[in-house]
Amino acid sequence: MKKISVILAITSCIYISCKKKDDTAPSRLFRPVIAGELTADSNTVVASWQKIAGAAAYALELSRDTFRTTDLSLSLDTNAAVVKKLLFNQLYQVRVKAIAADTLLNSKWSDLGAVKTLSSILKVPGIDDITYNSVRVRWTTKGAAVTSIKIVKAADNALVSTVALTAGDLVNEFKVAEGLEASTRYIIFLYSGNEERGYADFTTKAPFSGTIVDLTAITGRPGVLADTLPLIPSGSTVLLKRGETYNISSTVSLNKSLVIMSAPDLSNTTQAKIFFTSNFNFEAGTVIDSLEFNDIYLLGDNYGGRYVFNNSNSATVGKIKFVNSRAEIFRGMVRLQSGTTNVNDFIIDNCIIDSIGNYFILNIGASSRINHISITNSTIYKVEGVIASAQGSAAVLISDCTFSEAPLGNSKNYYVDYNANEVANGITVSNCIFGIGKDSKGAITVKDVRAGAGTVIGASNNYRTSDHLSAGNDFPNITTYTRPALQLWQAPGIGDFKIADNAYPGRNSTGDPRWR
């Protein structure tokens, strides 16, 4: 028994000695714990965590998919990190581990949490910010002042230009960069010092085709447009200087295809003005493929007898277009009064038209015809009528338009009046808002549409204000809203048709899109 006791005692000593030796072996480092911050500013993430005793370094990783993949890995000798040039408006997960001198003793990963970078202060260029050779770079002032813009070609990242920003640029919150190539994709980078504040892709517009007649260098000569039009070839694009006025002081008879437009100038948004103390006509017997007014302010000198077109000759015209333009103070915009004039397409798009008298926006005489009429994305107010035709048409489309103080409130005038003439493929009216009629000695009651019995009138998603008074001939299925024009719109009397009523159910889907 004594021998057995001695053996047990020796064994116990050996076990205790071995256990004590195991307890003093180096152990894995503790996981880091967040301390201080995990924040984002612009596209920069700032993180800090507690120091870990025995840590020789730290490993930091960022992911956007909970570490199924890793966006960025950093090795650090401090317990804080400032990670720059990340993606904007992105949620990142962040984790860290302590690195020991013996990497077998590294800590396990510690999740510090998730943080979302902010949206870029650089605004993505819209269609109106881009020309064929320039771009308007816009931003929102926030944080550090922006100092410069860099533009590179997207295809190869070749530097195109670096533009320093002035104090005036910072107040305006935009800068125009020029000297670009047409139909080319670029990337804008915005900087505060060396810090990137945003980036955006854009593609310049296609170059002008055909003959370009650039009148922008000629100023102080209001008659230069009228003098030039007879001299240039058909198919020309005439560029007018923004902010300049061009007079039509005697009848100009057109016999060629033309585009007349304000020249691209992102530093000046004021449209070139054509001032009418006379009007355009078509030359007798002419054949024209297309006539377009683009980004032009058309202004008459009186309501009594002024028109953009007052045609008295026979002509054949493919298209008459008014695009991105404004027209006001005319007896009528386009009047085909006599002669046999045939037009295939009449188009008004993205225009503001106001103060038109008793020959309406479009007046078609008995010997003329327009096949297809399209009025879209436009604001029409203070007009006595929109379309009047003494001949039939193939189709009429009115879509996404705002109407107010139209037509004349005498219970006789219509928005669309074909009398007994047929529109073969129908009249379609959709996504429009109709306000009150134009005051006529206190009367504001109006009618909507009149056409031959065989004309199909299709209408959908149209509203009229509670003070729109109908004398019959309504557009089908039109919804009368519960509030008047002055409560629906911001200031309709002065042409501000921004939707002011958040309860209006068509606020995001009806009327001229510029006001939604």
Side-chain angles (χ1 to χ4, degrees), residues 433-435 448 462-466 468 470 474 478-481:
I433 309 173
F434 299 91
D448 291 355
N462 299 302
Y463 287 81
R464 60 188 178 191
T465 58
S466 62
H468 175 107
S470 170
D474 291 350
I478 193 165
T479 300
T480 300
Y481 186 49

Side-chain angles (χ1 to χ4, degrees), residues 98-425:
I99 306 299
D102 180 357
T103 56
L104 293 176
L105 303 178
N106 292 349
S107 76
K108 293 183 178 180
W109 286 106
S110 175
D111 291 326
L112 299 185
V115 62
K116 190 174 185 179
T117 55
L118 305 183
S119 298
S120 166
I121 65 169
L122 177 66
K123 297 181 180 180
V124 177
I127 189 170
D128 293 333
D129 296 315
I130 303 168
T131 73
Y132 67 97
N133 65 354
S134 60
V135 61
R136 180 167 44 230
V137 181
R138 300 181 298 127
W139 62 87
T140 300
T141 300
K142 185 177 182 180
V146 293
T147 57
S148 64
I149 296 164
K150 183 172 73 174
I151 296 179
V152 303
K153 279 190 176 180
D156 56 8
N157 287 322
L159 178 63
V160 175
S161 64
T162 300
V163 182
L165 301 177
T166 67
D169 298 331
L170 300 187
V171 172
N172 295 331
E173 295 185 321
F174 78 87
K175 181 71 173 182
V176 175
E178 300 176 320
L180 307 179
E181 298 175 13
S183 302
T184 302
R185 185 166 166 258
Y186 293 94
I187 306 173
I188 304 167
F189 294 91
L190 186 67
Y191 289 92
S192 295
N194 293 323
E195 181 185 357
E196 185 181 292
R197 301 298 304 282
Y199 51 83
D201 291 15
F202 72 98
T203 301
T204 49
K205 294 179 180 178
F208 293 112
S209 59
T211 301
I212 307 301
V213 180
D214 189 347
L215 301 182
T216 58
I218 303 172
T219 59
R221 284 183 52 193
V224 66
L225 174 62
D227 294 341
T228 300
L229 291 176
L231 306 177
I232 59 180
S234 183
S236 295
T237 295
V238 182
L239 301 180
L240 305 182
K241 184 176 178 60
R242 289 184 175 274
E244 196 77 7
T245 297
Y246 301 85
N247 291 345
I248 302 299
S249 55
S250 60
T251 300
V252 176
S253 295
L254 298 176
N255 62 358
K256 62 195 70 175
S257 292
L258 292 169
V259 175
I260 302 175
M261 66 180 295
S262 297
D265 184 351
L266 296 176
S267 298
N268 184 355
T269 59
T270 303
Q271 293 173 326
K273 181 192 297 182
I274 302 179
F275 182 58
F276 293 82
T277 55
S278 186
N279 51 259
F280 288 119
N281 198 351
F282 292 116
E283 185 177 291
T286 195
V287 177
I288 296 175
D289 177 67
S290 178
L291 186 65
E292 177 178 335
F293 295 88
N294 193 321
D295 204 6
I296 295 290
Y297 177 23
L298 306 162
L299 177 65
D301 69 330
N302 70 79
Y303 300 101
R306 200 65 61 228
Y307 307 84
V308 177
F309 276 93
N310 186 21
N311 186 59
S312 57
N313 296 318
S314 297
T316 301
V317 183
K319 294 179 182 178
I320 300 175
K321 298 175 66 176
F322 297 90
V323 183
N324 308 321
S325 295
R326 182 177 187 116
E328 63 177 325
I329 310 180
F330 292 99
R331 188 182 186 189
M333 264 187 69
V334 175
R335 180 189 181 194
L336 306 181
Q337 64 163 316
S338 58
T340 303
T341 298
N342 290 302
V343 179
N344 195 49
D345 295 288
F346 179 86
I347 297 167
I348 293 175
D349 183 57
N350 193 31
C351 291
I352 295 177
I353 300 171
D354 77 277
S355 304
I356 306 296
N358 62 353
Y359 274 81
F360 307 168
I361 292 173
L362 179 59
N363 192 293
I364 307 167
S367 60
S368 296
R369 177 184 173 91
I370 297 181
N371 285 326
H372 304 94
I373 299 170
S374 173
I375 302 176
T376 56
N377 305 309
S378 295
T379 298
I380 296 170
Y381 70 109
K382 296 182 180 179
V383 305
E384 296 191 17
V386 180
I387 301 170
S389 181
Q391 279 283 352
S393 291
V396 174
L397 170 67
I398 300 175
S399 175
D400 298 271
C401 290
T402 295
F403 296 88
S404 183
E405 296 183 72
L408 188 66
N410 57 10
S411 299
K412 298 177 182 178
N413 283 17
Y414 299 77
Y415 293 101
V416 180
D417 187 4
Y418 274 81
N419 204 331
N421 300 297
E422 302 286 347
V423 180
N425 297 318

